Amino acid sequence: MGIIVQKFGGTSVGSARRMKNVVSIISGGEPKIVVLSAMAGTTNSLVDITRCFYRKEVDEANKIITRLEQAYAGHIEDLYTSVAYKEKALELVTERFNEIWAFAGTPFTVFDEKVVLAQGELISTGMMHLYLQELGMKSALLPALDFMRINADGEPDMSYIEEHLGTLLSRFPDTDIFITQGFICRNAYGETDNLQRGGSDYSASLIGAAVHASEIQIWTDIDGMHNNDPREVSGTRSVKHLSFNEAEQLAFYGAKILHPFCIAPARKRNIPVRLLSSMNPQAEGTLISDLQDDNIIKAIAAKDNIFYVKFESKHCLCPYQFISKIFDTFAKHRTPLCLLVSSNQDVSVAIDNSERLCKILAELEQYAKILMEDRMSIVSVVGNMRWQYAGVEAQIIEALADIPLRMISYGSNDSDVAFVIKTEDKKRALQALSNKLFEPETDKVTG
């Protein structure tokens, strides 16, 4: 029998009632590794605490910690039945907050910050493990810091993860439910680190790949990947199936339900990923696999905080040297390109990381006249976009006829057509594309 990896986000474990709902989902069936995020709101509070520590505002940190401890005391009162388990849970929370308080009034570093941020996941998994014990369910708590590691380049150390996770699992041969933390890990130097915001999805995918899981399930408060952003567009609906490439494009271009990095480990081991709703467990959700169906247009996503940069050659270099110089400069400064289009003499790029942009532009201004715009967005129409499907691009362009396009990218892969527009035009663009490309639910009438 295979093993399933199930990840539950902060909203799914955001209260005692929702934790109990998670238990009803993970109970029974095949063995499973359950990956938990911190309870909703906890990580934001921990970030605020670290800011106070950096600024040596101990009194303000105390206020935030006190509020958070009081919130957890309420969750504990609602979650557990027996006095004994309430006391165990309070001891757990007190121990974690003492770990945080150890940094108050001392020189606070980025390494200390990682330790503080890890406490949210350690609390949620500890509470869940205690609750399963109170219910008499056999479970094991697998500390992510004992097996999840990144290398010196910040990439997952898969051989280490597989070896150490396998060793931990072998210690519990008769256990069907394993609880572990998402997001947190150790770095190559053994220090507490993390996989960045949204990293619990990534944790689940890495764990799934390491144990050759039969399926990876990402449980959130949304019933699968929607065909457009429901915060911006009315009448969206969940997509039943996506290929790995389609899902990866949607995640990269802004679909919040999925971490952009979590597809690659699953695709490498050909493990299906299923997006499900803990608020509506009966919903079909979205299945992501290596299968490609014939539905041409699947979904639309948008990515904000984009910088558009156009390089017009000063003809100091021949065309191929000019393009090479641009690529080499971005690579030198470890700044990836979200989109790229070029002509014989000019190059336009869109990036979402401006940290080193000033240095990049300073190096390239001797070779090019540079135009830079911020407050831009990338809109991506994702689906089975093989060139043989004539007319799809025309439909997309027609839908955006009234919206200025700074950049169009098509043909680099078979999964998307992407545009760069001003962020102020994004909502209008998303709605126009939905109206043109998707049949409204109200029009789907069976006779």
Side-chain angles (χ1 to χ4, degrees):
M1 182 181 292
I3 190 167
I4 290 177
V5 175
Q6 297 178 310
K7 175 263 176 178
F8 293 88
T11 303
S12 296
V13 292
S15 66
R17 178 177 60 82
R18 290 181 175 174
M19 278 195 165
K20 292 176 181 179
N21 183 51
V22 167
V23 172
S24 70
I25 294 171
I26 67 177
S27 301
E30 55 260 75
K32 47 188 69 73
I33 299 175
V34 180
V35 181
L36 300 183
S37 299
M39 296 182 76
T42 298
T43 301
N44 288 338
S45 294
L46 294 175
V47 169
D48 291 339
I49 291 168
T50 63
R51 288 172 180 161
C52 291
F53 284 166
Y54 277 123
R55 296 192 294 255
K56 303 187 183 305
E57 296 173 351
V58 178
D59 289 342
E60 183 61 29
N62 180 46
K63 292 178 184 178
I64 301 171
I65 292 172
T66 300
R67 286 198 300 268
L68 203 52
E69 283 188 293
Q70 290 172 346
Y72 274 108
H75 295 317
I76 289 169
E77 184 64 31
D78 294 338
L79 182 60
Y80 303 97
T81 302
S82 68
V83 173
Y85 274 95
K86 289 179 181 180
E87 290 178 349
K88 288 182 181 180
L90 285 171
E91 288 174 6
L92 164 73
V93 171
T94 300
E95 180 183 349
R96 293 293 111 208
F97 278 101
N98 285 341
E99 183 85 10
I100 296 172
W101 264 120
F103 297 105
T106 64
F108 195 69
T109 70
V110 66
F111 305 107
D112 301 330
E113 179 183 0
K114 301 289 180 62
V115 175
V116 172
L117 295 181
Q119 302 310 309
E121 277 72 17
L122 294 171
I123 292 173
S124 64
T125 51
M127 287 177 60
M128 178 62 77
H129 182 54
L130 286 173
Y131 182 56
L132 292 174
Q133 287 184 327
E134 185 182 44
L135 294 176
M137 298 173 65
K138 197 167 186 179
S139 70
L141 185 61
L142 305 178
L145 296 178
D146 288 352
F147 67 86
M148 187 65 70
R149 188 172 80 169
I150 55 178
N151 59 28
D153 294 324
E155 297 296 326
D157 187 340
M158 283 305 298
S159 60
Y160 182 97
I161 295 168
E162 289 186 28
E163 178 186 350
H164 287 74
L165 179 55
T167 299
L168 285 174
L169 291 171
S170 68
R171 296 175 184 171
F172 307 96
D174 300 321
T175 300
D176 287 338
I177 298 178
F178 300 91
I179 307 295
T180 192
Q181 301 86 26
F183 175 65
I184 66 176
C185 63
R186 290 199 187 277
N187 60 28
Y189 310 102
E191 300 157 332
T192 299
D193 213 314
N194 60 62
L195 300 171
Q196 307 301 314
R197 281 298 184 96
S200 292
D201 289 358
Y202 199 17
S203 297
S205 188
L206 292 170
I207 291 169
V211 301
H212 296 265
S214 59
E215 185 170 283
I216 299 166
Q217 298 177 353
I218 308 294
W219 292 80
T220 69
D221 56 344
I222 303 172
D223 58 341
M225 183 83 75
H226 276 228
N227 63 356
N228 210 327
D229 188 341
R231 298 165 301 179
E232 303 281 359
V233 175
S234 59
T236 66
R237 56 183 180 270
S238 61
V239 181
K240 303 306 179 188
H241 179 259
L242 293 166
S243 69
F244 285 128
N245 285 344
E246 290 166 347
E248 193 168 52
Q249 291 297 108
L250 287 168
F252 178 75
Y253 286 123
K256 301 298 184 185
I257 191 175
L258 197 63
H259 191 284
F261 295 157
C262 82
I263 294 299
R267 176 169 49 200
K268 184 176 181 179
R269 293 282 164 83
N270 196 20
I271 301 170
V273 178
R274 200 179 295 272
L275 309 180
L276 297 161
S277 170
S278 59
M279 308 304 169
N280 183 17
Q282 289 73 39
E284 183 179 351
T286 301
L287 176 65
I288 302 168
S289 72
D290 66 339
L291 298 177
Q292 176 69 274
D293 60 33
D294 292 330
N295 291 327
I296 298 176
I297 297 176
K298 300 289 187 63
I300 303 161
K303 188 180 185 75
D304 295 335
N305 301 313
I306 295 296
F307 290 79
Y308 166 80
V309 187
K310 182 178 180 181
F311 300 96
E312 296 182 2
S313 176
K314 291 182 176 179
H315 307 289
C316 304
L317 301 171
C318 65
Y320 65 84
Q321 289 177 324
F322 178 64
I323 292 175
S324 177
K325 174 62 70 174
I326 291 173
F327 283 179
D328 289 346
T329 305
F330 275 93
K332 171 186 172 182
H333 292 282
R334 302 172 67 89
T335 301
L337 307 177
C338 297
L339 289 179
L340 161 76
V341 296
S342 66
S343 62
N344 184 43
Q345 292 290 332
D346 304 320
V347 176
S348 292
V349 301
I351 65 171
D352 61 356
N353 182 352
S354 63
E355 182 180 354
R356 301 177 180 91
L357 184 56
C358 288
K359 292 181 179 179
I360 293 170
L361 299 186
E363 288 190 28
L364 292 173
E365 63 182 0
Q366 62 180 305
Y367 307 106
K369 177 182 176 183
I370 300 172
L371 168 68
M372 195 274 289
E373 295 182 66
D374 60 0
R375 286 174 285 188
M376 308 296 281
S377 295
I378 295 175
V379 175
S380 177
V381 180
V382 173
N384 189 359
M385 299 288 185
R386 287 179 290 180
W387 65 269
Q388 295 94 332
Y389 296 142
V392 175
E393 318 84 45
Q395 285 184 284
I396 295 170
I397 295 296
E398 184 180 343
L400 299 174
D402 296 329
I403 295 171
L405 307 179
R406 288 304 271 126
M407 186 172 170
I408 303 173
S409 175
Y410 172 60
S412 60
N413 61 59
D414 291 335
S415 298
D416 83 306
V417 180
F419 311 86
V420 176
I421 62 175
K422 289 184 177 295
T423 300
E424 65 188 43
D425 294 325
K426 181 187 73 171
K427 183 181 181 70
R428 192 158 55 98
L430 293 177
Q431 188 66 64
L433 287 166
S434 267
N435 294 344
K436 181 69 176 180
L437 303 178
F438 298 130
E439 179 184 358
E441 288 283 353
T442 54
D443 291 348
K444 297 179 73 176
V445 180
T446 58

